Amino acid sequence: MRIFVVFLFSIALCISTPAQAGDPPALVLDLSNWCLTLPIDSNQAGKPDEIGQPDLASFVDDRYFRANSQANGVVFRAHCGGVTTKGSKYPRCELREMVEDGTKRASWKTHGEVIHTMDMRVAITATPEVKPQVVCGQIHDADDDLIMIRLEGAKLFVERNSFGDVMLDQHYQLGTPFDVRIQTGRGTVDVWYNGKQMMSWAVSRSGCYFKAGCYTQSNISKGDESESFGEVVIYRLQVEHSD
């Protein structure tokens, strides 16, 4: 009996062992319904590398995508000279929402009965020197970004393209963790910042999905060095879709 109890205790310890520095980011965040875009083109296919499931479950890149030293967050980095996706002139190390255990791209609408929610605890830890701008989260629709959580200098805000920005923090300090909730459904998009609702916007879009990570808003044509970078640490990332 004692041997059996010890065996069960050993199993419990293995299951509950926390992530350690150097472990795959998938041991820190649940990445089962995400794919990752990197700011590099290692296979020379003419577009940025994309890491999907099941490879993302064990993927680590010490430069761009790794657990932080405390193993309580995932570091996303994109340098200004990085490869960009079609239709964008800026590099990214960014997750794209998927469904069905990462096998299919998510696509939903803001005006249905289903409520779509992304909760994040995140810190922006670095911005390029010349154009210090980084996006850490967004809703993208079938054609373009719908909203982006964006830092420009010290101003952290919700960008809505031609519909006007919504300020979250006018004096954000790099490295400061904050909580953000983006929720949409039944014809509105709502944003909370550190528990306070900051936006409720009536808007209808289709083909939508969440994105999270580091979308650096500069490149060498803006005057930044190729190795200058943006960096984001995500400590919590949860997505839910509920009636």
Side-chain angles (χ1 to χ4, degrees):
M1 177 65 69
R2 178 178 297 176
I3 294 174
F4 182 65
V5 171
V6 170
F7 177 68
L8 289 178
F9 181 69
S10 298
I11 292 175
L13 282 177
C14 291
I15 293 173
S16 61
T17 299
Q20 301 179 16
D23 281 347
L27 294 183
V28 181
L29 301 176
D30 180 2
L31 301 178
S32 56
N33 274 314
W34 297 95
C35 68
L36 175 72
T37 301
L38 291 167
I40 55 174
D41 180 10
S42 63
N43 56 13
Q44 301 299 306
K47 59 182 181 179
D49 291 355
E50 187 172 277
I51 312 298
Q53 295 294 356
D55 295 337
L56 187 57
S58 58
F59 181 77
V60 181
D61 187 299
D62 290 338
R63 184 180 183 190
Y64 299 110
F65 181 71
R66 58 180 173 80
N68 64 358
S69 58
Q70 296 80 26
N72 65 352
V74 175
V75 179
F76 298 76
R77 180 182 289 191
H79 64 292
C80 293
V83 180
T84 65
T85 56
K86 182 180 179 180
S88 175
K89 55 188 176 181
Y90 299 129
R92 71 184 78 211
C93 179
E94 191 178 40
L95 296 168
R96 195 262 195 222
E97 186 191 3
M98 305 288 283
V99 294
E100 299 180 12
D101 295 325
T103 62
K104 183 178 178 181
R105 292 182 181 270
S107 179
W108 38 263
K109 55 189 177 183
T110 64
H111 48 283
E113 289 302 308
V114 177
I115 304 300
H116 313 278
T117 306
M118 181 170 72
D119 273 309
M120 302 172 64
R121 182 161 181 81
V122 57
I124 299 171
T125 50
T127 57
E129 294 182 7
V130 176
K131 189 171 181 274
Q133 300 179 17
V134 165
V135 169
C136 65
Q138 56 176 303
I139 294 176
H140 203 286
D141 65 23
D143 300 312
D144 201 356
D145 54 90
L146 178 59
I147 67 165
M148 298 197 295
I149 308 301
R150 183 182 183 115
L151 180 68
E152 291 190 0
K155 294 182 179 181
L156 183 67
F157 58 92
V158 181
E159 181 182 284
R160 300 186 297 175
N161 294 319
S162 60
F163 292 92
D165 302 331
V166 176
M167 187 62 61
L168 301 178
D169 189 341
Q170 296 194 60
H171 306 286
Y172 178 77
Q173 295 185 349
L174 288 178
T176 304
F178 60 90
D179 296 313
V180 63
R181 169 179 285 189
I182 303 172
Q183 189 172 81
T184 181
R186 300 173 186 169
T188 66
V189 176
D190 304 301
V191 175
W192 288 260
Y193 177 69
N194 288 336
K196 182 179 179 181
Q197 187 167 4
M198 307 296 285
M199 186 188 86
S200 185
W201 178 33
V203 62
S204 295
R205 294 288 191 278
S206 299
C208 298
Y209 50 93
F210 291 117
K211 304 192 81 174
C214 179
Y215 183 18
T216 300
Q217 300 291 288
S218 188
N219 56 36
I220 57 176
S221 72
K222 302 298 182 182
D224 275 301
E225 298 292 330
S226 177
E227 294 305 307
S228 186
F229 60 87
E231 185 180 86
V232 169
V233 180
I234 298 180
Y235 302 95
R236 185 183 71 252
L237 180 61
Q238 298 172 326
V239 170
E240 294 184 356
H241 304 282
S242 59
D243 294 333

